[in-house]
Amino acid sequence: MPIVTPLTKLLGIRVPVVQGGMQWVGLPRLAAAVSEAGGLGVLTALSQPSPDALRKAIRETKKLTSKPFGVNITLLPTINPPDYEGYARAAVEEGVRIFETAGNNPGPLIKFFKSQGCIVVHKCTTIRHAKSAEKMGVDVLSIDGFECAGHPGEEDIGGLVLLARAANDLKVPYIASGGIADARGFAAALALGACGVNMGTRFMATVESPIHQNIKDTIVKSSERDTVHIFRTLHNTARVFKNKVSMEVVAIERRPGGAKFEDVRELVSGARGKLVYENGDPDYGIWSAGIAVGLINDIPTCEELVKTLESGVERTIGNLQGLVVAKSKL
Ligand code: NAD
């Protein structure tokens, strides 16, 4: 039986799962495969070198799927500040109607997308930020727990408490992000009032994910203890895979007197991290991973994965219903 939620209705998708925007991973092949499988595929705007390249990626995705897909724009400190507005305009002009925004000071971008009649899913890591995005008119919030890959914010609140707070405090529908990679987590998110889930790391280990097979195999071999936080001391915390480079960054940050971004810049650059996905060496640079790596044991196609999630959620909800027994049957 289908899982019908405000998210499936709003986005016109079959299964309430959104593929998280992932730098260097949210490329046309993966986004299209997720959308074809019944979820929402998402292209990562900043993985394209320019707004024009994003236009090409959107056209390529449309050739691979006629189903809805979205574009992610993340606003965080960068070595070379991107033309956010240019990416946003290009995507809207190419007909994209669903956007995932994330990061600092998203107001102007959200205002622009809403003025163009688009649907905005805004990702945030605190209830405070969620409420202010609500006021800006976002359609869906993506509530990102401390378990997540990439940037979890600086307040370290896990998904269990954050989602329960969202259930009490938010008016707009929200999806759960961070730490979800299987049907149990998916069903738990629905129990916590979410209308769907966002999964990033889980989609990295799929057949259509555009990263080197060795990195997919590394994810499968890893446990929930294989991530680490970098940039804690720079107030731009990021959860990344624990490897030689990330441990070196942490060591530099722990030096007496601390570190400036310049001290770690060469080690952490996204351009170097991108090569990890190309050459398959997990120790070559920084790459994002959530603690959900501990839940990933296979490399399915997106279709197999989404189907497994769908049937697993149905089974989990059925099992829970089985716990509620009429008094007369006791
Ligand atoms: P980059 O090479 O510009 O920077 C590498 C890392 O260093 C990023 O985590 C960045 O936030 C951080 N950083 C850069 N300048 C900094 C500073 N002055 N102080 C503290 N930290 C700093 O990054 P990139 O790989 O080219 O990616 C471009 C942008 O996309 C970055 O802001 C990155 O954080 C962001 N991003 C997006 C997604 C997504 O899902 N869309 C995922 C991860 C990162």
Side-chain angles (χ1 to χ4, degrees):
M1 274 196 291
I3 312 160
V4 179
T5 74
L7 188 81
T8 56
K9 291 186 201 163
L10 179 70
L11 304 184
I13 56 177
R14 197 186 81 246
V15 186
V17 57
V18 174
Q19 166 241 313
M22 293 173 276
Q23 185 67 325
W24 316 128
V25 185
L27 301 183
R29 184 163 175 242
L30 178 63
V34 175
S35 290
E36 277 296 292
L40 185 81
V42 174
L43 287 177
T44 303
L46 302 189
S47 296
Q48 301 300 329
S50 66
D52 268 347
L54 177 61
R55 283 181 193 278
K56 286 197 192 110
I58 291 167
R59 288 178 200 167
E60 202 180 319
T61 311
K62 281 186 180 166
K63 280 193 200 138
L64 300 171
T65 184
S66 55
K67 304 239 167 75
F69 63 90
V71 166
N72 159 287
I73 300 188
T74 299
L75 306 131
L76 286 167
T78 51
I79 293 175
N80 302 307
D83 174 11
Y84 297 115
E85 245 185 83
Y87 282 102
R89 225 174 315 108
V92 168
E93 282 169 15
E94 291 298 319
V96 174
R97 285 291 162 264
I98 304 171
F99 288 89
E100 181 191 58
T101 54
N104 308 327
N105 195 14
L109 216 50
I110 292 172
K111 202 170 160 198
F112 170 70
F113 290 136
K114 290 315 299 172
S115 75
Q116 301 297 309
C118 298
I119 295 171
V120 179
V121 179
H122 181 66
K123 188 190 272 190
C124 39
T125 58
T126 69
I127 297 298
R128 198 172 72 255
H129 290 143
K131 288 184 123 179
S132 92
E134 206 171 49
K135 284 196 196 111
M136 290 173 201
V138 302
D139 301 275
V140 178
L141 286 152
S142 181
I143 301 295
D144 206 15
F146 191 54
E147 299 88 341
C148 71
H151 297 266
E154 307 304 323
E155 298 189 5
D156 305 2
I157 313 293
L160 203 54
V161 167
L162 211 51
L163 291 165
R165 279 290 318 274
N168 285 332
D169 288 39
L170 301 182
K171 294 185 196 72
V172 305
Y174 56 93
I175 62 173
S177 181
I180 299 160
D182 61 15
R184 283 200 191 95
F186 196 147
L190 298 178
L192 283 159
C195 64
V197 296
N198 178 88
M199 297 193 323
T201 308
R202 172 64 271 196
F203 280 113
M204 286 173 77
T206 57
V207 170
E208 296 90 345
S209 157
I211 64 174
H212 198 285
Q213 184 64 33
N214 200 37
I215 304 303
K216 298 181 192 180
D217 294 339
T218 302
I219 291 174
V220 169
K221 276 188 267 168
S222 303
S223 85
E224 62 280 9
R225 300 177 65 240
D226 285 316
T227 75
V228 68
H229 285 118
I230 58 169
F231 300 149
R232 282 250 86 156
T233 60
L234 299 173
H235 306 290
N236 183 31
T237 300
R239 187 188 291 282
V240 301
F241 192 74
K242 194 190 277 180
N243 63 11
K244 284 186 190 146
V245 181
S246 53
M247 293 314 286
E248 194 179 338
V249 174
V250 170
I252 293 171
E253 286 190 80
R254 282 184 186 151
R255 277 184 200 156
K260 295 189 289 301
F261 181 69
E262 292 310 312
D263 301 332
V264 296
R265 177 192 167 116
E266 295 308 318
L267 291 169
V268 303
S269 90
R272 178 169 172 172
K274 184 179 180 218
L275 293 176
V276 168
Y277 299 142
E278 290 172 11
N279 66 24
D281 176 0
D283 275 318
Y284 192 81
I286 296 291
W287 54 285
S288 293
I291 53 175
V293 284
L295 303 172
I296 298 170
N297 305 310
D298 58 0
I299 304 171
T301 63
C302 289
E303 191 179 348
E304 287 162 351
L305 175 60
V306 172
K307 276 202 176 124
T308 306
L309 289 169
E310 199 178 13
S311 58
V313 168
E314 194 185 330
R315 204 171 41 251
T316 308
I317 292 173
N319 291 344
L320 290 174
Q321 276 169 345
L323 296 177
V324 185
V325 181
K327 270 195 183 152
S328 60
K329 293 203 174 149
L330 286 176

